[in-house]
Amino acid sequence: MFFSLYLLLYFYEKSLQYFTAKSVRFQYREAPVLGRYDNKDVLLKLPLGMKVRDLRWLSVWCRRFAVDFGSVQFPADLDPAKPQVLPEFKRLGHGLRSGSVTILDAKTFYIPNLHYDGAAPDAYFWVGTGTVPNAQGIKVPNELGDTNNLRGYQGEDIEIQLPGDLTVHDIDWLSVWCISFRENFGHVMIPKNLDVPPALGQNQLTTTKIPSETSGAGATVGEGHEFDSCIQLLNGRMQVQWEAILEGVIIRLSARMDENEYMSFGISGAEGRTKMIGADVAVAYFNSEDNKFYAEDYILNAKSQCDGNNGVCPDSRIGGRNDVSMLYGQRINGVTTVAYQRSLDAQQDKFDQVIPPVGRVNVIAAIGPLNSRKEANYHSTDRTGPQEDHRIDFTSRGVNQCPVLLAPEDKTKQHGSGGSSSSGTSTENAIQPWKPNVISGKTELRARIGPTGGKKGYTAITGQPSWGIAWYINDLLIPEIYVERGETYTFLVEGGNDPTNSARWHPLYITDNQEGGYGQKTDAQQREQRVFAGIEFDPSGFPFPTAAGSLCEWKHKTVDKWAVSETFEEYTQTLILECESDREQPANLTWTVPLNAPNTLYYQCYTHNSLGWKINVVDRGFEPPKARGAASSLVGFRISSLAVLLLPLSVLFL
């Protein structure tokens, strides 16, 4: 005879009867029979829905003879170490920015929404000691575990781990650092005496927003998997399929929607009824700009657009992390489908809700447009209403309320999150770009910053990607400017003059390069550009911009309404001009057009790529197209302090 040993995790509750029933459920379904262990380290993962603070003891138990072979008691006031949330990366160069950085354990950092242009020649994640980042640091492998020069990141969520025996207790800062130029592009400081979990292998390197063959690691279903449970929501416009697995639940959403829309689904904010506030949802969509599918973890704590603290916010934007794992997506005949995985447990108490391992839970859903940040915007009427009562038992099987699937599984046309859109992607409701703006016959030009106008503005006009802001010349979005050879022109520049904050430093210069961003280029790349105005060089040959004035910026009154603005003139009515309260005189850039200037030049930003557009150089007497009169539509808006503008939102959001 031999003993069958089970590792059992018991709750100590009011009665032994409840205690036994609770343990038996997990004992038979999930507890493996123990083999022989000889001085081996074991990492245990609690069954779904359990937390360490809920336990009273852990035992190696013989089920057959009800014998305890050894146990450890948990104190009633146990306060386990937790991940610690730090601020975002300080923004110092090369477009580096992120969400709030989280220390998951003594060796692992979670960096959400990471942006970095990848242009530095010798940049790495870099850690060390001291009050500020310095050259005496140590390379940290990237999310793939290698130490190659950092690539560009465009809003990705990544995890990195300290090398060797190094822990967060040994360092003072984490930085993105260029070794060759000894330049700090941004950093976050590490507080002392952090109470974080030890690094025992519980956090494996993972990434989000990557192809399905990696992001789906650990999932027990693949792209061709057939779900046997399905319900219809939003009058049949959305279908939800699911299947419970050991690590959580796989959810597959399908909806009839446009390419610029999202679909959301998750747990209601109140038990027993439909409620938006407090809901924990996943927002899924197809991004036609990069041909990728996304699934993002959201918390809904206010009926408003996310302001960075409250509203309909991605967890990663307000100090949490994206606990939704993207698996795959497809878009065929106007139907977008995204499959993702999430845990039944609440990974972060502040942001996530528990899906009970037994029993039904109320769910909510919505469809609506994306804003310029690719975040959920208002949802109009396509949502589950307060009178609706939709409930799902995520551990159930065979619940099929979908007579015909919106998007049957098609193995030949499915794509991972890094894949391109299917050849059957819907093209209905094609977006029409705005008519380009033109300026001619003007010798004084005022340059300010403003939004890019979504898919109807900068990208549609130039064919180049944008990063959210662009130059407004005489209050027109990136107009083509006609200048005459031999004539003198004055640019009054109000793009920001704080070189310590790249988000508020946009010097203007004139170049033959369509991309711009002279200040972030390597020496070799700078030599490929010809500069006509706005940059000078010190005696050592180091470039510096000469046209950096105080900041005036056109901003949205509420949310970005490019999608509902038929013309740029309509769009301007949704904007308001904000200027610094301690505003100085604009910087003057005076330029006499050389007689031998090429036919096409560009006004650009010294700090960032792709903020400006064309300057058409013509000879005297040339008659360019007539200038548009849209600038007058912006006249009369109130100039206000950046710190005091508060506008109420008049629409309900997701």
Side-chain angles (χ1 to χ4, degrees):
M1 178 181 291
F2 60 91
F3 292 110
S4 295
L5 300 184
Y6 281 73
L7 185 69
L8 301 182
L9 303 169
Y10 290 113
F11 288 87
Y12 181 75
E13 295 289 348
K14 296 180 180 179
S15 69
L16 181 61
Q17 197 171 32
Y18 181 83
F19 166 97
T20 303
K22 194 74 173 181
S23 66
V24 167
R25 168 179 168 77
F26 293 108
Q27 168 184 330
Y28 283 96
R29 285 198 179 186
E30 301 175 10
V33 176
L34 296 182
R36 177 184 176 88
Y37 292 92
D38 187 7
N39 197 30
K40 183 178 180 180
D41 295 332
V42 177
L43 181 65
L44 302 179
K45 183 177 181 181
L46 294 180
L48 297 174
M50 286 189 177
K51 299 179 182 298
V52 171
R53 61 174 176 267
D54 299 326
L55 306 178
R56 292 296 174 263
W57 50 271
L58 169 72
S59 171
V60 176
W61 183 268
C62 176
R63 179 169 56 87
R64 178 175 299 178
F65 296 104
V67 176
D68 175 19
F69 286 178
S71 62
V72 59
Q73 304 294 317
F74 296 154
D77 59 350
L78 178 66
D79 185 18
K82 304 179 183 66
Q84 299 294 317
V85 179
L86 308 179
E88 65 178 49
F89 271 99
K90 191 171 183 179
R91 306 178 184 189
L92 300 180
H94 282 271
L96 178 67
R97 66 185 192 275
S98 72
S100 299
V101 177
T102 300
I103 300 178
L104 299 180
D105 61 39
K107 294 182 70 68
T108 309
F109 291 88
Y110 171 74
I111 307 173
N113 195 28
L114 177 63
H115 290 259
Y116 165 65
D117 63 19
D122 197 23
Y124 306 90
F125 293 114
W126 191 252
V127 295
T129 58
T131 56
V132 294
N134 55 70
Q136 306 304 313
I138 299 172
K139 286 183 184 179
V140 178
N142 62 20
E143 74 279 8
L144 301 178
D146 63 51
T147 53
N148 297 330
N149 183 41
L150 285 182
R151 63 179 177 88
Y153 294 90
Q154 297 296 319
E156 297 176 47
D157 302 343
I158 70 168
E159 293 176 15
I160 59 174
Q161 290 185 340
L162 298 175
D165 296 329
L166 198 65
T167 73
V168 295
H169 307 296
D170 304 318
I171 60 177
D172 294 323
W173 41 261
L174 167 66
S175 167
V176 174
W177 179 270
C178 181
I179 295 178
S180 297
F181 292 91
R182 297 193 173 195
E183 185 72 25
N184 174 28
F185 299 149
H187 65 276
V188 60
M189 300 302 294
I190 313 298
K192 293 295 185 184
N193 302 316
L194 283 176
D195 186 19
V196 296
L200 301 174
Q202 69 272 36
N203 290 303
Q204 300 178 357
L205 287 181
T206 59
T207 61
T208 61
K209 304 178 187 174
I210 57 178
S212 60
E213 55 263 33
T214 53
S215 64
T220 59
V221 298
E223 294 183 13
H225 181 79
E226 294 187 4
F227 296 82
D228 65 358
S229 294
C230 178
I231 66 168
Q232 296 193 142
L233 302 173
L234 308 181
N235 296 318
R237 190 179 174 189
M238 178 189 289
Q239 291 180 343
V240 181
Q241 298 169 275
W242 70 90
E243 181 169 319
I245 59 174
L246 180 61
E247 295 86 358
V249 62
I250 303 293
I251 296 174
R252 185 179 189 259
L253 305 180
S254 298
R256 296 192 183 280
M257 52 192 260
D258 293 335
E259 283 190 358
N260 62 338
E261 290 185 312
Y262 69 87
M263 53 185 168
S264 65
F265 172 78
I267 309 304
S268 171
E271 185 176 352
R273 60 189 177 94
T274 299
K275 183 181 180 183
M276 171 190 156
I277 302 299
D280 173 20
V281 304
V283 171
Y285 60 94
F286 171 68
N287 185 346
S288 60
E289 294 180 0
D290 59 11
N291 282 341
K292 294 181 181 180
F293 294 87
Y294 294 91
E296 300 282 352
D297 196 0
Y298 271 62
I299 179 68
L300 282 53
N301 56 28
K303 292 183 178 181
S304 63
Q305 181 79 1
C306 183
D307 62 6
N309 295 298
N310 295 291
V312 179
C313 294
D315 289 7
S316 58
R317 190 176 171 195
I318 55 174
R321 65 173 183 268
N322 185 14
D323 289 318
V324 169
S325 298
M326 175 73 193
L327 297 179
Y328 63 86
Q330 70 177 25
R331 181 166 170 80
I332 300 175
N333 298 325
V335 175
T336 297
T337 295
V338 170
Y340 61 90
Q341 177 181 336
R342 65 151 287 174
S343 172
L344 298 184
D345 198 2
Q347 299 295 305
Q348 305 170 93
D349 290 342
K350 180 180 176 182
F351 301 97
D352 299 327
Q353 287 204 40
V354 173
I355 296 178
V358 178
R360 298 192 302 166
V361 63
N362 284 78
V363 296
I364 64 171
I367 296 173
L370 294 161
N371 64 18
S372 60
R373 293 177 60 100
K374 298 302 179 186
E375 292 180 356
N377 211 341
Y378 62 89
H379 50 54
S380 64
T381 59
D382 293 310
R383 61 181 177 87
T384 46
Q387 305 305 318
E388 299 180 61
D389 184 15
H390 298 287
R391 303 185 186 188
I392 291 179
D393 180 348
F394 284 96
T395 62
S396 62
R397 302 293 299 272
V399 179
N400 192 349
Q401 302 174 8
C402 305
V404 178
L405 290 180
L406 289 175
E409 288 82 358
D410 186 341
K411 300 178 184 179
T412 66
K413 293 186 178 181
Q414 288 172 334
H415 304 275
S417 58
S420 60
S421 177
S422 162
S423 59
T425 295
S426 170
T427 58
E428 63 257 31
N429 301 322
I431 296 174
Q432 298 298 319
W434 294 324
K435 184 178 179 181
N437 293 304
V438 174
I439 292 178
S440 63
K442 302 290 185 182
T443 58
E444 184 172 286
L445 304 161
R446 187 173 293 271
R448 291 165 168 161
I449 296 297
T452 57
K455 294 181 181 179
K456 296 181 179 180
Y458 188 97
T459 298
I461 294 168
T462 68
Q464 303 295 316
S466 70
W467 70 287
I469 61 172
W471 282 116
Y472 278 53
I473 307 298
N474 287 359
D475 297 328
L476 297 174
L477 171 62
I478 56 163
E480 289 193 29
I481 303 173
Y482 282 81
V483 300
E484 294 184 352
R485 292 180 174 90
E487 184 66 67
T488 298
Y489 297 85
T490 300
F491 288 81
L492 305 176
V493 184
E494 296 177 307
N497 57 2
D498 182 2
T500 66
N501 185 347
S502 64
R504 300 172 67 84
W505 193 47
H506 306 292
L508 184 138
Y509 77 109
I510 297 171
T511 175
D512 64 353
N513 185 272
Q514 184 174 346
E515 187 176 68
Y518 192 90
Q520 62 174 253
K521 306 301 184 186
T522 64
D523 288 343
Q525 291 170 330
Q526 288 178 350
R527 287 192 292 270
E528 294 175 356
Q529 286 196 35
R530 186 179 175 189
V531 175
F532 286 80
I535 298 177
E536 295 183 2
F537 297 83
D538 65 16
S540 63
F542 189 83
F544 62 92
T546 61
S550 56
L551 181 62
C552 278
E553 182 173 2
W554 288 104
K555 291 191 173 184
H556 306 294
K557 292 180 179 178
T558 54
V559 296
D560 194 339
K561 295 188 178 296
W562 68 266
V564 296
S565 300
E566 294 297 325
T567 65
F568 174 71
E569 288 81 3
E570 282 187 28
Y571 188 62
T572 62
Q573 303 302 316
T574 71
L575 306 179
I576 188 167
L577 183 64
E578 297 183 18
C579 294
E580 292 174 323
S581 56
D582 55 349
R583 181 184 180 194
E584 302 172 355
Q585 291 297 316
N588 284 5
L589 189 159
T590 301
W591 174 47
T592 299
V593 184
L595 296 178
N596 62 348
N599 292 337
T600 303
L601 296 174
Y602 300 88
Y603 55 94
Q604 290 291 3
C605 174
Y606 179 85
T607 313
H608 305 97
N609 294 335
S610 302
L611 262 67
W613 191 223
K614 288 182 181 179
I615 298 176
N616 297 302
V617 182
V618 299
D619 294 325
R620 291 183 184 274
F622 178 84
E623 293 187 7
K626 291 183 179 180
R628 297 183 65 189
S632 61
S633 65
L634 288 175
V635 175
F637 280 129
R638 177 175 57 88
I639 297 176
S640 63
S641 166
L642 287 171
V644 300
L645 178 66
L646 291 174
L647 292 171
L649 297 177
S650 60
V651 297
L652 292 180
F653 295 78
L654 169 72

